[in-house]
Amino acid sequence: MQIYLPIAELSMNLFFLVGIGGAVGFLSGLFGVGGGFLLTPLLIFSGVPAPVAVASVTGQVVAASTSGALSHYRRGGIDLHLALYLVLAGILGAMGGVATFDALRALGQLDFFISLGFLVILGFVGTLMMIEAVRTLLKRRSGVVVRERLPNQHNWIHGLPLRVRFKKSRLYISVLPVLAIGIAIGFIGSLLGIGGGFILVPALVYLLRVPGNVVIGTSLLQLVAMMSATTILHAVQSQSVDILLAFSLMVGGTVGAQFGASAGQYLRGDQLRFLLAALILAVAIRFGVSLVLPPDDIFSTAAVSAGGLL
Amino acid sequence: MKARAVLFGALALLLLGLGPARAERLVSTLSNQDISITSSFDGEQLTLFGNVEPETGSGQKYVEGPFHVVIVISGPHGSRVARRKSNVLGIWLNTQQVMFEDFPSYFHVLSSDKLADIANPALLAAEGILPAAQTRHSAQADWWTSMVFGRELVRLMTEKGLFGIEESAVGFLSNTAYKASIALPSNVPNGTFVARTYLFKNGEIVGKRSEGFLVRKTGFERFLGSASRDYPLLYGLTCVLLALFTGWLGGVVFKR
């Protein structure tokens, strides 16, 4: 069944859209990530213009993270004070990201920077996760009892000025790294149409030493708030949010995520991390190959509308 | 005296310009003047009909062929860029772009025979009948670059199904009546279209007609499209609320 997408101005198969939303939702439920890093590339590869794909997936990430954030909130797994700092910085970063997005689109370099951004960020995070996961798996195999490293050692970040007490996280740290992380996630998220949960969680754990019981909830709340702001920014500035596309993806994604979450209970944490790392690296390699291999067609074209280039 | 000479001259020119009285008249119509895009829009078939008749008042009872018909369908004009990638330090990226202004977003030529057999290329080009002619005057670059990029742009538009030449799409039902049909693709641009019909006889244009039709979103699709342009803040907020609601509902339904 074809559905006409009014902003993308093309018609696509509704079942295909709900289907990829569901498949990505399943994986996001399985691994506990937003799934934007898979959905945006999939849409771009299936013919949706990159600006529309990025802006619409932003809306889908909000839906994918809401139910998780709510359940963590009920369980008290959110440090609201920390989240507030992250969200405010994140919105600032998103403003910069959306402005950069428009400038690159006018220059005709948006697709290139999206590919490069995915390659660098996914490649970096994927490699780190892969090394960590393989090391844990090997140790387990050789019979060594693996103890989760407790993030209580201090590092240089804890020596910075402007310290603030975050009661729930039992932290007394400088706000500078918190704001820097928030801005970076906001910028990357709005530029690439990803929530950035898979970058935010490691950053909170390894850089700020946020304890495990609040890290997921806080990061989900930050995602919901920041991606909501980004959706509105994209709608106002580039007018490329396709509400029908986003809604089709949301419906598939919300349902898929529930099945993914139940399937995730049958896998161990290190196995999940290994699979997620492999998936992230695969997407990074796909982008890397597309940058290096000679393209099928060295020419491309785009219409110039009143709102900018498409 | 001088004035009279000028008058005679003008009269002579007028008579020369008229030449032998034009004997043919073209009547034509479209199957659909308002093509609406709904949620299930997946392209649309457009049919054009017409007939060649003796000019009213010419006293002729019938017209003599053989006739050829060429129909040019062009979509709303706008600016468009063509870009070229090149290899910089092992990475492929866009390095050059040429802007084409006032460029049609849709351009199809339908004819009753091979264009080369209907008229000579110079006449076709002068009338702006060929797709390639569309890039000539609109490029914002030097002659050579605009020629290279223009040719590639026409090729890209052809691959998208937005440009094309169909040399047997016009069929004659009798000596004088013709019918042409074209499938508008699902990615057809929105806006005002013009269908120009040319009647050829012995390589000369003997009649012209022009009709407009509209391609536009209707109902919910139009509402969404205009809301995203006119009330972007409200549109964005609605999108966020929809996302929050869907996410919340998913959590409730599946008791996560």
Side-chain angles (χ1 to χ4, degrees), chain A residues 112-143:
Chain A
F112 168 70
F113 274 90
I114 286 178
S115 298
L116 190 69
F118 271 111
L119 172 65
V120 171
I121 289 164
L122 297 182
F124 182 70
V125 175
T127 310
L128 285 184
M129 283 178 74
M130 185 59 107
I131 291 171
E132 194 262 352
V134 167
R135 199 176 281 162
T136 322
L137 282 174
L138 287 179
K139 274 187 193 159
R140 194 184 287 273
R141 185 155 296 177
S142 60

PDB file of all heavy atoms in Angstrom, chain A residues 112-143:
ATOM      1  N   PHE A 112      27.808  14.612   2.224  1.00  0.00           N
ATOM      2  CA  PHE A 112      29.189  14.236   2.527  1.00  0.00           C
ATOM      3  C   PHE A 112      29.448  14.274   4.022  1.00  0.00           C
ATOM      4  O   PHE A 112      30.020  13.342   4.596  1.00  0.00           O
ATOM      5  CB  PHE A 112      30.149  15.158   1.776  1.00  0.00           C
ATOM      6  CG  PHE A 112      31.577  15.045   2.243  1.00  0.00           C
ATOM      7  CD1 PHE A 112      32.314  13.903   1.976  1.00  0.00           C
ATOM      8  CD2 PHE A 112      32.173  16.065   2.952  1.00  0.00           C
ATOM      9  CE1 PHE A 112      33.619  13.788   2.408  1.00  0.00           C
ATOM     10  CE2 PHE A 112      33.474  15.962   3.391  1.00  0.00           C
ATOM     11  CZ  PHE A 112      34.200  14.820   3.121  1.00  0.00           C
ATOM     12  N   PHE A 113      29.010  15.365   4.689  1.00  0.00           N
ATOM     13  CA  PHE A 113      29.285  15.483   6.118  1.00  0.00           C
ATOM     14  C   PHE A 113      28.474  14.484   6.938  1.00  0.00           C
ATOM     15  O   PHE A 113      28.934  14.037   7.979  1.00  0.00           O
ATOM     16  CB  PHE A 113      29.067  16.918   6.603  1.00  0.00           C
ATOM     17  CG  PHE A 113      30.289  17.765   6.407  1.00  0.00           C
ATOM     18  CD1 PHE A 113      30.483  18.472   5.237  1.00  0.00           C
ATOM     19  CD2 PHE A 113      31.287  17.792   7.371  1.00  0.00           C
ATOM     20  CE1 PHE A 113      31.631  19.220   5.035  1.00  0.00           C
ATOM     21  CE2 PHE A 113      32.433  18.537   7.183  1.00  0.00           C
ATOM     22  CZ  PHE A 113      32.608  19.252   6.012  1.00  0.00           C
ATOM     23  N   ILE A 114      27.272  14.124   6.453  1.00  0.00           N
ATOM     24  CA  ILE A 114      26.504  13.089   7.152  1.00  0.00           C
ATOM     25  C   ILE A 114      27.259  11.763   7.068  1.00  0.00           C
ATOM     26  O   ILE A 114      27.440  11.068   8.069  1.00  0.00           O
ATOM     27  CB  ILE A 114      25.072  12.985   6.564  1.00  0.00           C
ATOM     28  CG1 ILE A 114      24.241  14.190   7.020  1.00  0.00           C
ATOM     29  CG2 ILE A 114      24.399  11.697   7.012  1.00  0.00           C
ATOM     30  CD1 ILE A 114      22.835  14.221   6.464  1.00  0.00           C
ATOM     31  N   SER A 115      27.751  11.425   5.869  1.00  0.00           N
ATOM     32  CA  SER A 115      28.516  10.182   5.702  1.00  0.00           C
ATOM     33  C   SER A 115      29.771  10.205   6.554  1.00  0.00           C
ATOM     34  O   SER A 115      30.084   9.239   7.258  1.00  0.00           O
ATOM     35  CB  SER A 115      28.916   9.990   4.237  1.00  0.00           C
ATOM     36  OG  SER A 115      27.781   9.869   3.440  1.00  0.00           O
ATOM     37  N   LEU A 116      30.502  11.312   6.491  1.00  0.00           N
ATOM     38  CA  LEU A 116      31.754  11.423   7.243  1.00  0.00           C
ATOM     39  C   LEU A 116      31.483  11.350   8.747  1.00  0.00           C
ATOM     40  O   LEU A 116      32.187  10.647   9.484  1.00  0.00           O
ATOM     41  CB  LEU A 116      32.435  12.756   6.900  1.00  0.00           C
ATOM     42  CG  LEU A 116      33.863  12.922   7.422  1.00  0.00           C
ATOM     43  CD1 LEU A 116      34.804  11.976   6.698  1.00  0.00           C
ATOM     44  CD2 LEU A 116      34.328  14.366   7.250  1.00  0.00           C
ATOM     45  N   GLY A 117      30.430  12.054   9.191  1.00  0.00           N
ATOM     46  CA  GLY A 117      30.079  12.047  10.607  1.00  0.00           C
ATOM     47  C   GLY A 117      29.749  10.655  11.094  1.00  0.00           C
ATOM     48  O   GLY A 117      30.236  10.217  12.142  1.00  0.00           O
ATOM     49  N   PHE A 118      28.933   9.923  10.321  1.00  0.00           N
ATOM     50  CA  PHE A 118      28.589   8.554  10.699  1.00  0.00           C
ATOM     51  C   PHE A 118      29.835   7.686  10.745  1.00  0.00           C
ATOM     52  O   PHE A 118      30.018   6.879  11.664  1.00  0.00           O
ATOM     53  CB  PHE A 118      27.573   7.959   9.711  1.00  0.00           C
ATOM     54  CG  PHE A 118      26.149   8.216  10.100  1.00  0.00           C
ATOM     55  CD1 PHE A 118      25.353   9.064   9.360  1.00  0.00           C
ATOM     56  CD2 PHE A 118      25.609   7.607  11.220  1.00  0.00           C
ATOM     57  CE1 PHE A 118      24.043   9.309   9.725  1.00  0.00           C
ATOM     58  CE2 PHE A 118      24.305   7.838  11.594  1.00  0.00           C
ATOM     59  CZ  PHE A 118      23.514   8.695  10.842  1.00  0.00           C
ATOM     60  N   LEU A 119      30.696   7.839   9.727  1.00  0.00           N
ATOM     61  CA  LEU A 119      31.907   7.017   9.667  1.00  0.00           C
ATOM     62  C   LEU A 119      32.785   7.244  10.899  1.00  0.00           C
ATOM     63  O   LEU A 119      33.193   6.301  11.576  1.00  0.00           O
ATOM     64  CB  LEU A 119      32.692   7.346   8.389  1.00  0.00           C
ATOM     65  CG  LEU A 119      34.070   6.698   8.276  1.00  0.00           C
ATOM     66  CD1 LEU A 119      33.934   5.192   8.182  1.00  0.00           C
ATOM     67  CD2 LEU A 119      34.822   7.237   7.067  1.00  0.00           C
ATOM     68  N   VAL A 120      33.058   8.505  11.210  1.00  0.00           N
ATOM     69  CA  VAL A 120      33.982   8.819  12.300  1.00  0.00           C
ATOM     70  C   VAL A 120      33.384   8.419  13.650  1.00  0.00           C
ATOM     71  O   VAL A 120      34.017   7.698  14.429  1.00  0.00           O
ATOM     72  CB  VAL A 120      34.317  10.338  12.290  1.00  0.00           C
ATOM     73  CG1 VAL A 120      35.082  10.730  13.537  1.00  0.00           C
ATOM     74  CG2 VAL A 120      35.097  10.694  11.039  1.00  0.00           C
ATOM     75  N   ILE A 121      32.142   8.836  13.905  1.00  0.00           N
ATOM     76  CA  ILE A 121      31.561   8.595  15.234  1.00  0.00           C
ATOM     77  C   ILE A 121      31.243   7.126  15.442  1.00  0.00           C
ATOM     78  O   ILE A 121      31.616   6.541  16.459  1.00  0.00           O
ATOM     79  CB  ILE A 121      30.312   9.471  15.418  1.00  0.00           C
ATOM     80  CG1 ILE A 121      30.767  10.928  15.551  1.00  0.00           C
ATOM     81  CG2 ILE A 121      29.529   9.053  16.644  1.00  0.00           C
ATOM     82  CD1 ILE A 121      29.683  11.912  15.369  1.00  0.00           C
ATOM     83  N   LEU A 122      30.582   6.512  14.477  1.00  0.00           N
ATOM     84  CA  LEU A 122      30.239   5.102  14.634  1.00  0.00           C
ATOM     85  C   LEU A 122      31.500   4.253  14.633  1.00  0.00           C
ATOM     86  O   LEU A 122      31.615   3.279  15.380  1.00  0.00           O
ATOM     87  CB  LEU A 122      29.288   4.640  13.529  1.00  0.00           C
ATOM     88  CG  LEU A 122      27.923   5.309  13.480  1.00  0.00           C
ATOM     89  CD1 LEU A 122      27.070   4.709  12.376  1.00  0.00           C
ATOM     90  CD2 LEU A 122      27.209   5.163  14.808  1.00  0.00           C
ATOM     91  N   GLY A 123      32.476   4.609  13.787  1.00  0.00           N
ATOM     92  CA  GLY A 123      33.725   3.856  13.730  1.00  0.00           C
ATOM     93  C   GLY A 123      34.441   3.899  15.067  1.00  0.00           C
ATOM     94  O   GLY A 123      34.900   2.875  15.591  1.00  0.00           O
ATOM     95  N   PHE A 124      34.523   5.080  15.664  1.00  0.00           N
ATOM     96  CA  PHE A 124      35.220   5.272  16.935  1.00  0.00           C
ATOM     97  C   PHE A 124      34.509   4.525  18.066  1.00  0.00           C
ATOM     98  O   PHE A 124      35.102   3.686  18.755  1.00  0.00           O
ATOM     99  CB  PHE A 124      35.288   6.776  17.226  1.00  0.00           C
ATOM    100  CG  PHE A 124      36.009   7.128  18.485  1.00  0.00           C
ATOM    101  CD1 PHE A 124      37.384   6.962  18.597  1.00  0.00           C
ATOM    102  CD2 PHE A 124      35.304   7.629  19.579  1.00  0.00           C
ATOM    103  CE1 PHE A 124      38.046   7.293  19.766  1.00  0.00           C
ATOM    104  CE2 PHE A 124      35.960   7.961  20.747  1.00  0.00           C
ATOM    105  CZ  PHE A 124      37.337   7.793  20.847  1.00  0.00           C
ATOM    106  N   VAL A 125      33.203   4.794  18.211  1.00  0.00           N
ATOM    107  CA  VAL A 125      32.451   4.160  19.301  1.00  0.00           C
ATOM    108  C   VAL A 125      32.392   2.646  19.101  1.00  0.00           C
ATOM    109  O   VAL A 125      32.579   1.870  20.043  1.00  0.00           O
ATOM    110  CB  VAL A 125      31.031   4.755  19.401  1.00  0.00           C
ATOM    111  CG1 VAL A 125      30.209   4.042  20.436  1.00  0.00           C
ATOM    112  CG2 VAL A 125      31.107   6.231  19.711  1.00  0.00           C
ATOM    113  N   GLY A 126      32.144   2.226  17.857  1.00  0.00           N
ATOM    114  CA  GLY A 126      32.056   0.797  17.566  1.00  0.00           C
ATOM    115  C   GLY A 126      33.336   0.065  17.891  1.00  0.00           C
ATOM    116  O   GLY A 126      33.320  -1.031  18.464  1.00  0.00           O
ATOM    117  N   THR A 127      34.482   0.658  17.531  1.00  0.00           N
ATOM    118  CA  THR A 127      35.771   0.020  17.799  1.00  0.00           C
ATOM    119  C   THR A 127      36.004  -0.120  19.304  1.00  0.00           C
ATOM    120  O   THR A 127      36.387  -1.199  19.785  1.00  0.00           O
ATOM    121  CB  THR A 127      36.914   0.841  17.164  1.00  0.00           C
ATOM    122  OG1 THR A 127      36.581   1.096  15.803  1.00  0.00           O
ATOM    123  CG2 THR A 127      38.222   0.098  17.233  1.00  0.00           C
ATOM    124  N   LEU A 128      35.757   0.962  20.047  1.00  0.00           N
ATOM    125  CA  LEU A 128      35.942   0.902  21.510  1.00  0.00           C
ATOM    126  C   LEU A 128      35.061  -0.171  22.134  1.00  0.00           C
ATOM    127  O   LEU A 128      35.519  -0.970  22.951  1.00  0.00           O
ATOM    128  CB  LEU A 128      35.605   2.264  22.140  1.00  0.00           C
ATOM    129  CG  LEU A 128      36.626   3.378  21.961  1.00  0.00           C
ATOM    130  CD1 LEU A 128      36.175   4.616  22.723  1.00  0.00           C
ATOM    131  CD2 LEU A 128      38.006   2.931  22.437  1.00  0.00           C
ATOM    132  N   MET A 129      33.771  -0.208  21.711  1.00  0.00           N
ATOM    133  CA  MET A 129      32.842  -1.195  22.276  1.00  0.00           C
ATOM    134  C   MET A 129      33.272  -2.602  21.925  1.00  0.00           C
ATOM    135  O   MET A 129      33.194  -3.517  22.749  1.00  0.00           O
ATOM    136  CB  MET A 129      31.438  -0.951  21.727  1.00  0.00           C
ATOM    137  CG  MET A 129      30.740   0.217  22.361  1.00  0.00           C
ATOM    138  SD  MET A 129      29.126   0.445  21.622  1.00  0.00           S
ATOM    139  CE  MET A 129      28.261  -0.912  22.360  1.00  0.00           C
ATOM    140  N   MET A 130      33.756  -2.778  20.686  1.00  0.00           N
ATOM    141  CA  MET A 130      34.160  -4.092  20.223  1.00  0.00           C
ATOM    142  C   MET A 130      35.340  -4.609  21.041  1.00  0.00           C
ATOM    143  O   MET A 130      35.344  -5.754  21.501  1.00  0.00           O
ATOM    144  CB  MET A 130      34.516  -3.998  18.725  1.00  0.00           C
ATOM    145  CG  MET A 130      34.835  -5.318  18.079  1.00  0.00           C
ATOM    146  SD  MET A 130      33.436  -6.434  18.226  1.00  0.00           S
ATOM    147  CE  MET A 130      32.833  -6.441  16.581  1.00  0.00           C
ATOM    148  N   ILE A 131      36.333  -3.732  21.255  1.00  0.00           N
ATOM    149  CA  ILE A 131      37.518  -4.129  22.032  1.00  0.00           C
ATOM    150  C   ILE A 131      37.104  -4.551  23.441  1.00  0.00           C
ATOM    151  O   ILE A 131      37.496  -5.617  23.936  1.00  0.00           O
ATOM    152  CB  ILE A 131      38.528  -2.949  22.102  1.00  0.00           C
ATOM    153  CG1 ILE A 131      39.131  -2.705  20.715  1.00  0.00           C
ATOM    154  CG2 ILE A 131      39.624  -3.231  23.124  1.00  0.00           C
ATOM    155  CD1 ILE A 131      39.965  -1.441  20.612  1.00  0.00           C
ATOM    156  N   GLU A 132      36.254  -3.724  24.047  1.00  0.00           N
ATOM    157  CA  GLU A 132      35.822  -4.000  25.417  1.00  0.00           C
ATOM    158  C   GLU A 132      35.033  -5.315  25.491  1.00  0.00           C
ATOM    159  O   GLU A 132      35.262  -6.142  26.378  1.00  0.00           O
ATOM    160  CB  GLU A 132      34.978  -2.815  25.905  1.00  0.00           C
ATOM    161  CG  GLU A 132      34.730  -2.771  27.380  1.00  0.00           C
ATOM    162  CD  GLU A 132      33.376  -3.339  27.758  1.00  0.00           C
ATOM    163  OE1 GLU A 132      32.563  -3.633  26.852  1.00  0.00           O
ATOM    164  OE2 GLU A 132      33.139  -3.496  28.955  1.00  0.00           O
ATOM    165  N   ALA A 133      34.122  -5.506  24.504  1.00  0.00           N
ATOM    166  CA  ALA A 133      33.267  -6.690  24.529  1.00  0.00           C
ATOM    167  C   ALA A 133      34.076  -7.964  24.292  1.00  0.00           C
ATOM    168  O   ALA A 133      33.880  -8.973  24.974  1.00  0.00           O
ATOM    169  CB  ALA A 133      32.167  -6.551  23.487  1.00  0.00           C
ATOM    170  N   VAL A 134      35.009  -7.908  23.327  1.00  0.00           N
ATOM    171  CA  VAL A 134      35.824  -9.089  23.015  1.00  0.00           C
ATOM    172  C   VAL A 134      36.687  -9.455  24.217  1.00  0.00           C
ATOM    173  O   VAL A 134      36.820 -10.630  24.581  1.00  0.00           O
ATOM    174  CB  VAL A 134      36.685  -8.830  21.766  1.00  0.00           C
ATOM    175  CG1 VAL A 134      37.749  -9.899  21.601  1.00  0.00           C
ATOM    176  CG2 VAL A 134      35.811  -8.762  20.530  1.00  0.00           C
ATOM    177  N   ARG A 135      37.239  -8.421  24.878  1.00  0.00           N
ATOM    178  CA  ARG A 135      38.083  -8.668  26.042  1.00  0.00           C
ATOM    179  C   ARG A 135      37.284  -9.380  27.143  1.00  0.00           C
ATOM    180  O   ARG A 135      37.742 -10.369  27.710  1.00  0.00           O
ATOM    181  CB  ARG A 135      38.628  -7.328  26.557  1.00  0.00           C
ATOM    182  CG  ARG A 135      39.850  -7.488  27.443  1.00  0.00           C
ATOM    183  CD  ARG A 135      40.384  -6.126  27.830  1.00  0.00           C
ATOM    184  NE  ARG A 135      41.166  -5.509  26.775  1.00  0.00           N
ATOM    185  CZ  ARG A 135      41.447  -4.204  26.728  1.00  0.00           C
ATOM    186  NH1 ARG A 135      40.974  -3.386  27.658  1.00  0.00           N
ATOM    187  NH2 ARG A 135      42.189  -3.724  25.767  1.00  0.00           N
ATOM    188  N   THR A 136      36.065  -8.907  27.383  1.00  0.00           N
ATOM    189  CA  THR A 136      35.216  -9.532  28.416  1.00  0.00           C
ATOM    190  C   THR A 136      34.861 -10.965  28.036  1.00  0.00           C
ATOM    191  O   THR A 136      34.922 -11.879  28.855  1.00  0.00           O
ATOM    192  CB  THR A 136      33.911  -8.723  28.595  1.00  0.00           C
ATOM    193  OG1 THR A 136      34.217  -7.344  28.486  1.00  0.00           O
ATOM    194  CG2 THR A 136      33.282  -9.002  29.927  1.00  0.00           C
ATOM    195  N   LEU A 137      34.504 -11.150  26.746  1.00  0.00           N
ATOM    196  CA  LEU A 137      34.117 -12.494  26.297  1.00  0.00           C
ATOM    197  C   LEU A 137      35.286 -13.466  26.444  1.00  0.00           C
ATOM    198  O   LEU A 137      35.094 -14.604  26.887  1.00  0.00           O
ATOM    199  CB  LEU A 137      33.659 -12.442  24.831  1.00  0.00           C
ATOM    200  CG  LEU A 137      32.241 -11.916  24.569  1.00  0.00           C
ATOM    201  CD1 LEU A 137      31.987 -11.789  23.081  1.00  0.00           C
ATOM    202  CD2 LEU A 137      31.208 -12.826  25.205  1.00  0.00           C
ATOM    203  N   LEU A 138      36.494 -13.016  26.075  1.00  0.00           N
ATOM    204  CA  LEU A 138      37.675 -13.889  26.158  1.00  0.00           C
ATOM    205  C   LEU A 138      37.966 -14.249  27.610  1.00  0.00           C
ATOM    206  O   LEU A 138      38.269 -15.402  27.923  1.00  0.00           O
ATOM    207  CB  LEU A 138      38.894 -13.211  25.526  1.00  0.00           C
ATOM    208  CG  LEU A 138      38.882 -13.129  23.999  1.00  0.00           C
ATOM    209  CD1 LEU A 138      40.110 -12.426  23.486  1.00  0.00           C
ATOM    210  CD2 LEU A 138      38.761 -14.529  23.388  1.00  0.00           C
ATOM    211  N   LYS A 139      37.869 -13.271  28.503  1.00  0.00           N
ATOM    212  CA  LYS A 139      38.139 -13.520  29.920  1.00  0.00           C
ATOM    213  C   LYS A 139      37.146 -14.526  30.480  1.00  0.00           C
ATOM    214  O   LYS A 139      37.514 -15.437  31.210  1.00  0.00           O
ATOM    215  CB  LYS A 139      38.044 -12.201  30.714  1.00  0.00           C
ATOM    216  CG  LYS A 139      39.336 -11.419  30.719  1.00  0.00           C
ATOM    217  CD  LYS A 139      39.202 -10.241  31.666  1.00  0.00           C
ATOM    218  CE  LYS A 139      40.338  -9.269  31.471  1.00  0.00           C
ATOM    219  NZ  LYS A 139      39.980  -7.945  31.984  1.00  0.00           N
ATOM    220  N   ARG A 140      35.901 -14.358  30.097  1.00  0.00           N
ATOM    221  CA  ARG A 140      34.878 -15.274  30.584  1.00  0.00           C
ATOM    222  C   ARG A 140      35.166 -16.689  30.112  1.00  0.00           C
ATOM    223  O   ARG A 140      35.018 -17.656  30.853  1.00  0.00           O
ATOM    224  CB  ARG A 140      33.514 -14.822  30.072  1.00  0.00           C
ATOM    225  CG  ARG A 140      32.341 -15.486  30.774  1.00  0.00           C
ATOM    226  CD  ARG A 140      31.046 -15.060  30.151  1.00  0.00           C
ATOM    227  NE  ARG A 140      30.686 -13.695  30.491  1.00  0.00           N
ATOM    228  CZ  ARG A 140      30.007 -13.373  31.600  1.00  0.00           C
ATOM    229  NH1 ARG A 140      29.647 -14.297  32.454  1.00  0.00           N
ATOM    230  NH2 ARG A 140      29.706 -12.128  31.850  1.00  0.00           N
ATOM    231  N   ARG A 141      35.611 -16.784  28.859  1.00  0.00           N
ATOM    232  CA  ARG A 141      35.905 -18.090  28.298  1.00  0.00           C
ATOM    233  C   ARG A 141      37.076 -18.751  29.029  1.00  0.00           C
ATOM    234  O   ARG A 141      37.074 -19.949  29.285  1.00  0.00           O
ATOM    235  CB  ARG A 141      36.228 -17.958  26.795  1.00  0.00           C
ATOM    236  CG  ARG A 141      36.438 -19.283  26.118  1.00  0.00           C
ATOM    237  CD  ARG A 141      36.159 -19.194  24.654  1.00  0.00           C
ATOM    238  NE  ARG A 141      34.751 -18.883  24.377  1.00  0.00           N
ATOM    239  CZ  ARG A 141      34.256 -18.702  23.151  1.00  0.00           C
ATOM    240  NH1 ARG A 141      35.051 -18.774  22.122  1.00  0.00           N
ATOM    241  NH2 ARG A 141      32.985 -18.436  22.974  1.00  0.00           N
ATOM    242  N   SER A 142      38.086 -17.937  29.394  1.00  0.00           N
ATOM    243  CA  SER A 142      39.266 -18.522  30.045  1.00  0.00           C
ATOM    244  C   SER A 142      39.006 -18.747  31.537  1.00  0.00           C
ATOM    245  O   SER A 142      39.893 -19.146  32.272  1.00  0.00           O
ATOM    246  CB  SER A 142      40.482 -17.613  29.852  1.00  0.00           C
ATOM    247  OG  SER A 142      40.233 -16.362  30.419  1.00  0.00           O
ATOM    248  N   GLY A 143      37.779 -18.506  31.994  1.00  0.00           N
ATOM    249  CA  GLY A 143      37.411 -18.900  33.347  1.00  0.00           C
ATOM    250  C   GLY A 143      37.686 -17.864  34.413  1.00  0.00           C
ATOM    251  O   GLY A 143      37.441 -18.108  35.598  1.00  0.00           O
TER     252      GLY A 143
END
